Structure formats: C-alpha cells, structure tokens
Amino acid sequence: MKSTAEEKQHQKLKVLGVCGGIGQGKSTASKLLVSDLGCIAHLDADSIAHSVYSPGSQAVKDVVSEFGSRILAEGTNDTIDRKELGKIVFAERNEMARLEKIVWPHVKTLLSEKIEALKLDWEKEKKDDATAIIVLEAAILLDAGWDDLLDGVWTVRAPKSTAVKRLVETRNLAEEEAEKRISYQNSSRGIGNIDAEIKSGGITAVIENNGTLEDLKESLKNAIHDPKSWK
Ligand SMILES: CC(C)(COP(=O)(O)OP(=O)(O)OC[C@H]1O[C@@H](n2cnc3c(N)ncnc32)[C@H](O)[C@@H]1O)[C@@H](O)C(=O)NCCC(=O)NCCS
Ligand SMILES: Nc1ncnc2c1ncn2[C@@H]1O[C@H](COP(=O)(O)OP(=O)(O)OP(=O)(O)O)[C@@H](O)[C@H]1O
C-alpha cells in the first residue's frame, strides 16, 4: 500500500512553464501537451495579456497615462489600439520595459487566479492522475518573474534557419521581418541564454524542435516522465 506522502506526490497537480523564442514551437508544443499527452489545460500569456486591456480597465488607464492618447483606438477614449502600441514598444526596448512594468503584474494576477480555479476543479474531481499538468505558455516568463508559480520551466528550441522558414511559410512573414522578430527576443531570459539558465536551474528542460511533430511529441513525452525536468 502507498504511504500518504507517496499518494500526495502521486496526485500533485503541476504547473509547467513553456517558453522559447518566436517561431520555435512553444505554442505547438503546448497544444500537443494537452491534445496528445494528457495535460489538463493550456494558458496562453499572450491572450491573457490582451484581456488585461479590456476597455476602461485600470490597466488601460495606466497605459494611456504612460503613453498618451495616441495609443487609443480612433474615436474611443477607453480602448487600446494594440497595433499602434506595438509600433512604439517593439521599436524601442526601453518603451517595452515601461509597458511591461504596467502590464505584467496584471497578467500575473489573472494567471494566478486561473491556476487556482483549475486546481480547485481538479481537487474536486479527485482524479488519481499522475500526469495532471497545467501548461503556461509565455515567451517572457523568466523575465517576468513568474517562476514562483511553476514546477518546471521548459524552453522549446529550433535552429534559427528552421524558425525563419516556418514563420515565412506559415505566417506569411518576409524573411527579413522573421529574422528581426527573432532577434528582438534574443535578450529575453530562457531564449538567448539557454545554457546559463540551465546551469542556474531557471530552465529545467530543453525541448529540441528541429524534426517532425511526432519527434516533438516524443521529446515532450520523455520530458514529462524525466524527474530532472521538474524542480
Ligand atoms: C505590444 C502589444 C500591445 C502588441 O499586441 P499585438 O496583439 O499586436 O501582438 P502580440 O501580443 O500577439 O505579440 C506579438 C509577439 O510578440 C511577443 N511579445 C509580446 N510582448 C513581448 C515582450 N514584452 N517581450 C518579448 N516578446 C513579446 C509575443 O509573445 C508574440 O510572439 C502586446 O504584445 C503587449 O501588450 N505586450 C506587452 C505585454 C507582454 O509582455 N506580453 C507577452 C506575454 S505576457
Ligand atoms: N515540428 C514542427 N514541424 C512542422 N512545423 C512546425 C513544427 N513546430 C512548429 N511548427 C510550425 O511553425 C510555426 C511556429 O510554431 P509555433 O506557433 O508553435 O511557435 P511559437 O514559438 O509559439 O511562436 P510565437 O511566439 O509566435 O507564438 C507554426 O506554424 C507551427 O505550425
């Protein structure tokens, strides 16, 4: 018979952070983890960040007071035009840092609430499921300091040439634009400095994504079952 401690360990619901640069495959990996590998939910930080900009919210007021009314959608005084805001912040790192300072705390609050709600639902169902995992996909999760929410942090990695090819083929981006977007994220933790993050324990597994979707699925499956992939 299992001891109570063993049982608890067995039933623990884990939160897995998936990071990686644009076009490397973090979204594909996160979806596979749920559709094929038994994880129970996929939270996407990009969409959660978008929901922070709901018209009239405190975040919108704070962003407008920082960047001015030029980032409001035409004819409104409470709705952010994300494309306009993007033009400013993607062009200049310091501008993005100002935005992140406002937005990231709101995103973290929403994330924590969503994770708590999923945990409560799972506890109620009392499934004896050793691989009950919530997946949080976020390119910037280490920079944002969300690792305290996580039981493991995996980075999905593909060679730059593969990522550029995939972005050109599937997102209709010009090659130069794809390269520019990849370079933009190179200074993010867990994207441009993977070896140092592995050494310091910031990243607990690297998922190579240079093959087929079946290869990616196999790597993810191995990582789920490898204790070294978890904190
Ligand atoms: C600048 C904003 C308004 C542009 O919105 P838009 O809908 O046009 O683009 P989207 O959000 O889809 O982002 C496009 C790509 O850039 C990446 N990206 C977005 N913000 C950042 C960032 N701070 N650092 C690095 N990459 C980023 C996204 O992961 C995505 O791959 C929006 O990206 C934003 O609010 N960014 C700041 C908040 C943030 O860091 N979000 C990322 C996850 S929380
Ligand atoms: N192993 C693979 N084989 C074939 N295509 C792939 C593979 N992995 C990812 N792709 C494709 O490459 C493109 C980029 O992948 P994905 O959207 O998962 O990247 P991402 O890291 O989430 O990027 P972003 O930061 O923009 O969200 C997608 O169109 C996806 O279908």
Side-chain angles (χ1 to χ4, degrees), residues 21-28 137 166 170-171 209 211-213:
I22 181 168
Q24 309 278 305
K26 59 186 176 308
S27 176
T28 307
E137 176 195 345
R166 286 178 181 154
T170 64
R171 303 245 178 110
N209 182 24
T212 63
L213 291 176

Side-chain angles (χ1 to χ4, degrees), residues 59-171:
V60 169
K61 289 180 190 138
D62 294 345
V63 172
V64 173
S65 96
E66 188 73 25
F67 291 92
S69 52
R70 64 192 162 141
I71 51 99
L72 285 169
E74 225 177 292
T76 76
N77 61 8
D78 64 355
T79 304
I80 287 190
D81 181 338
R82 292 207 311 270
K83 297 295 158 214
E84 278 309 307
L85 181 54
K87 278 186 205 159
I88 300 167
V89 296
F90 286 122
E92 175 56 63
R93 264 259 148 237
N94 291 339
E95 298 292 316
M96 180 60 99
R98 288 166 67 200
L99 179 64
E100 291 169 346
K101 208 168 159 208
I102 298 169
V103 177
W104 282 354
H106 290 285
V107 181
K108 188 171 187 183
T109 302
L110 285 177
L111 277 174
S112 306
E113 287 169 6
K114 285 180 191 288
I115 290 170
E116 248 350 273
L118 285 163
K119 278 189 174 164
L120 280 177
D121 279 353
W122 182 75
E123 303 260 323
K124 264 191 239 146
E125 288 177 27
K126 278 267 173 269
K127 278 191 202 141
D128 183 16
D129 184 350
T131 59
I133 297 167
I134 297 168
V135 181
L136 162 59
E137 176 195 345
I140 45 65
L141 55 80
L142 291 176
D143 284 310
W146 299 336
D147 30 346
D148 60 328
L149 300 174
L150 306 171
D151 299 290
V153 179
W154 301 357
T155 188
V156 180
R157 171 166 75 179
K160 190 175 166 190
S161 55
T162 310
V164 169
K165 190 165 172 278
R166 286 178 181 154
L167 288 172
V168 169
E169 280 170 6
T170 64
R171 303 245 178 110

